[in-house]
Amino acid sequence: MGNVTLIGMPGSGKSTVGVLLAKALGFGFLDTDLVIQQREGALLQAILDEKGVPYFLDAEERAVRSVDCDRHVIAPGGSVVCREGAMEHLSAMGPVIYLRVPLEELKARIHNLDSRGIALEPGQTLEDILTLRAPLYEKYAGAVVDAAPGQTTAQTVSLVLEQVERLAPQLLTPVK
């Protein structure tokens, strides 16, 4: 399949960059958080509050594994890397690119940590989950794009396009 998946921490710009990347490629855009909400009939934060992080991660994996599309930019939740089955499914669908953002920039971008639907155990901080997930993002990514402070979204999209061209140049050819 010919999809591109963007992985990274909450606040890394997966959805923002993803929509612009989809436009640049002539692809559709899919935010898997919306798939989870539709399948579960609840908002992400409500699922986390009512059923806990392990249930949420399993629900996320089920939702991601249900995705069957072509020529889409896929933006999964930041916790998708916590379930190997979800990442195997996404990796089989096309290149996976990690949007890496420094911790201080993530802290500046995220102001609603307790209500945003982020898979955090009680007492965990953004730094804790970055420390846990960063090696997983690196493991599953075919490429890493640094979304540095001060970098525009357009610049990030351009860097991602360079990686798509390197990893899957056939995706840059419009369908006839």
Side-chain angles (χ1 to χ4, degrees):
M1 287 189 202
N3 298 292
V4 176
T5 298
L6 301 178
I7 61 173
M9 285 288 288
S12 63
K14 298 179 298 288
S15 295
T16 304
V17 170
V19 167
L20 295 174
L21 179 65
K23 285 183 180 181
L25 292 169
F27 281 20
F29 176 75
L30 176 65
D31 181 333
T32 65
D33 283 350
L34 301 177
V35 177
I36 297 166
Q37 290 182 166
Q38 289 171 341
R39 288 174 59 102
E40 293 292 316
L43 297 176
L44 301 180
Q45 191 61 53
I47 299 165
L48 287 161
D49 291 344
E50 294 167 19
K51 299 189 176 176
V53 172
Y55 178 91
F56 177 86
L57 296 175
D58 291 342
E60 180 175 45
E61 180 179 13
R62 288 190 300 273
V64 167
R65 291 173 66 108
S66 77
V67 169
D68 181 19
C69 58
D70 190 31
R71 298 185 67 80
H72 276 73
V73 174
I74 302 168
S79 55
V80 71
V81 293
C82 297
R83 291 292 186 262
E84 188 173 4
M87 287 311 303
E88 286 173 355
H89 183 71
L90 291 171
S91 295
M93 296 176 72
V96 175
I97 298 172
Y98 169 28
L99 297 181
R100 183 168 52 195
V101 177
L103 176 62
E104 291 309 312
E105 180 68 13
L106 292 172
K107 286 180 179 178
R109 292 181 185 183
I110 299 174
H111 304 289
N112 54 346
L113 197 58
D114 297 332
S115 61
R116 185 173 166 150
I118 297 173
L120 287 168
E121 291 288 359
Q124 273 189 320
T125 66
L126 201 55
E127 184 174 8
D128 294 335
I129 62 171
L130 178 59
T131 300
L132 175 77
R133 295 178 188 173
L136 297 172
Y137 294 135
E138 301 274 350
K139 172 185 174 180
Y140 290 116
V144 177
V145 169
D146 284 306
Q151 183 170 296
T152 67
T153 304
Q155 289 169 321
T156 304
V157 171
S158 180
L159 293 170
V160 172
L161 279 167
E162 288 175 16
Q163 294 305 318
V164 171
E165 184 173 20
R166 183 179 69 79
L167 296 169
Q170 72 279 7
L171 296 181
L172 300 177
T173 306
V175 174
K176 295 180 178 158

